[in-house]
Amino acid sequence: MSRFPGQYNWLIGGGVEAGESYEEAAARELTEELGVRAPVRFALKFLCRGVISPYWLGIHEAVVDEDITPDPDEIAWHAWVTEGELREMADRPTFVPDGAEALTRYLSPRPVPPPPSPGAADTS
């Protein structure tokens, strides 16, 4: 809230600590900001242009099947919205620009790795 007061964002998160993986940081931030624990899954990582400066941004997904309890020092307002509503919100000037860039990249088709070729040697 302190960096972009009065603006909306769809992301929760923060910096990766020394010795911590992106996945560990995502799980920690999920607990700190929403008060829940859930496994996180890597979605994508990119060099975000950033309003303040460029930085590497890792996006992870989590399925949360319990009530969330947002930290009021981190999140002033929250609601569940549809993908269409989120896209519409991201086009408004009250949406954090970094979050809008991340949403565009997240919703863009990503390449799916090809399946192993038939007859490939099993090295496990």
Side-chain angles (χ1 to χ4, degrees):
M1 288 188 324
S2 62
R3 294 210 180 188
F4 301 100
Q7 291 186 290
Y8 297 103
N9 202 347
W10 70 288
L11 300 168
I12 61 162
V16 177
E17 302 292 332
E20 186 178 46
S21 70
Y22 274 66
E23 288 75 17
E24 290 167 333
R28 175 179 49 76
E29 291 290 344
L30 185 65
T31 302
E32 288 177 5
E33 295 194 19
L34 296 182
V36 296
R37 294 186 188 279
V40 298
R41 184 176 67 89
F42 175 80
L44 69 125
K45 180 174 141 182
F46 69 97
L47 184 59
C48 183
R49 289 185 295 256
V51 172
I52 297 171
S53 68
Y55 60 95
W56 285 101
L57 178 61
I59 298 178
H60 294 74
E61 303 169 324
V63 174
V64 176
D65 59 3
E66 59 187 271
D67 290 338
I68 62 172
T69 308
D71 179 346
D73 290 333
E74 299 279 348
I75 299 172
W77 174 86
H78 72 281
W80 298 108
V81 297
T82 66
E83 182 180 315
E85 291 168 329
L86 184 57
R87 285 177 187 262
E88 183 182 311
M89 291 171 72
D91 287 336
R92 296 179 189 157
T94 54
F95 205 84
V96 175
D98 297 15
E101 179 183 0
L103 182 63
T104 297
R105 289 178 181 263
Y106 177 75
L107 295 176
S108 294
R110 293 184 290 281
V112 176
S117 59
D122 183 9
T123 60
S124 53

